[in-house]
Amino acid sequence: EAQVTQNPRYLITVTGKKLTVTCSQNMNHEYMSWYRQDPGLGLRQIYYSMNVEVTDKGDVPEGYKVSRKEKRNFPLILESPSPNQTSLYFCASSFSETMNSPLHFGNGTRLTVT
Amino acid sequence: DAKTTQPPSMDCAEGRAANLPCNHSTISGNEYVYWYRQIHSQGPQYIIHGLKNNETNEMASLIITEDRKSSTLILPHATLRDTAVYYCIVRVAMDSNYQLIWGAGTKLIIKP
């Protein structure tokens, strides 16, 4: 089944403890992206990648890192999490970065930083 | 800022067609209209998208006005499982990134 898989689904951690949220897609998509969703603010883009070894900042990149060493994987790294990074995170992918290529989303990771 | 305006909520009877309106009066000529829905806090689910022609797939139909300033998503036979927040989104070009600019969406409630 074609899908975007995120892990873990739920994560509770403490301030400053490094964590990684994994994202993998099995559709051979070139474009991948991370979003966070907060009440009243909608989905905001954190980072995106147009292909292997090509990443760029979205609207809210502060406090996050990403890497794209393989086409299928796009992990989100929080080197030193803070409580304001408590949020619902979504990974998404599309065949290409063009306007006419729908994004497909994972099921989300709910992160709580205490 | 979101380029779309949607009603905050709508009701529809089960089995009837659900028609969800969206205004996007500032849309540019090469920007697509996308529709997604989100059930509870699950990942947004892609429904349909279009540029200027009407589109139909197994989930829904998208009707775009000739001036492209508004569109309507039609769920032909709504079921209880269609209860969700529906987002009308214009995909815009920002530098080299084609961004989806999300608004607040329409909460659609399907009633038995």
Side-chain angles (χ1 to χ4, degrees):
Chain A
E1 181 188 351
Q3 60 186 359
V4 179
T5 303
Q6 294 178 231
N7 280 298
R9 289 294 307 277
Y10 300 92
L11 181 56
I12 301 173
T13 190
V14 297
T15 299
K17 186 175 181 181
K18 181 179 177 179
L19 66 89
T20 299
V21 184
T22 64
C23 174
S24 180
Q25 50 90 8
N26 62 0
M27 297 170 279
N28 201 35
H29 283 173
E30 289 187 348
Y31 182 91
M32 297 186 75
S33 182
W34 276 102
Y35 293 83
R36 60 178 288 173
Q37 186 175 30
D38 302 290
L41 295 176
L43 272 83
R44 295 178 292 167
Q45 191 180 49
I46 304 171
Y47 267 94
Y48 64 97
S49 169
M50 293 202 182
N51 215 323
V52 176
E53 303 291 0
V54 180
T55 63
D56 212 340
K57 297 177 180 178
D59 296 323
V60 288
E62 295 77 21
Y64 304 95
K65 285 175 57 176
V66 292
S67 69
R68 188 95 181 271
K69 293 185 171 63
E70 305 164 283
K71 198 170 189 178
R72 65 183 293 127
N73 296 323
F74 190 46
L76 179 70
I77 303 155
L78 284 72
E79 295 269 2
S80 183
S82 62
N84 65 12
Q85 292 178 299
T86 292
S87 187
L88 181 57
Y89 291 86
F90 293 104
C91 180
S93 72
S94 66
F95 180 71
S96 72
E97 79 281 5
T98 64
M99 292 271 200
N100 193 24
S101 185
L103 272 170
H104 299 277
F105 287 80
N107 277 329
T109 296
R110 187 170 291 281
L111 172 64
T112 303
V113 184
T114 62
Chain B
D1 290 343
K3 294 187 73 169
T4 60
T5 305
Q6 300 176 253
S9 64
M10 292 181 63
D11 293 344
C12 180
E14 188 179 18
R16 304 297 294 268
N19 295 275
L20 290 89
C22 179
N23 287 320
H24 31 79
S25 57
T26 62
I27 195 170
S28 298
N30 63 344
E31 292 173 345
Y32 280 75
V33 178
Y34 277 78
W35 283 84
Y36 283 81
R37 71 182 183 184
Q38 189 174 25
I39 299 171
H40 299 300
S41 294
Q42 296 177 22
Q45 179 187 20
Y46 165 75
I47 301 173
I48 199 166
H49 74 286
L51 182 62
K52 51 186 176 183
N53 297 322
N54 297 338
E55 302 287 340
T56 295
N57 63 21
E58 65 278 4
M59 286 184 70
S61 295
L62 174 61
I63 309 298
I64 303 174
T65 58
E66 194 166 339
D67 63 8
R68 302 214 320 126
K69 292 185 177 181
S70 66
S71 60
T72 300
L73 178 74
I74 302 172
L75 307 177
H77 304 287
T79 71
L80 298 178
R81 287 181 295 181
D82 291 323
T83 292
V85 178
Y86 286 76
Y87 295 96
C88 171
I89 302 158
V90 171
R91 195 164 190 183
V92 303
M94 301 178 72
D95 297 323
S96 58
N97 187 22
Y98 295 103
Q99 275 250 45
L100 293 171
I101 306 298
W102 299 75
T106 295
K107 184 169 186 178
L108 175 67
I109 299 173
I110 307 300
K111 298 188 172 181

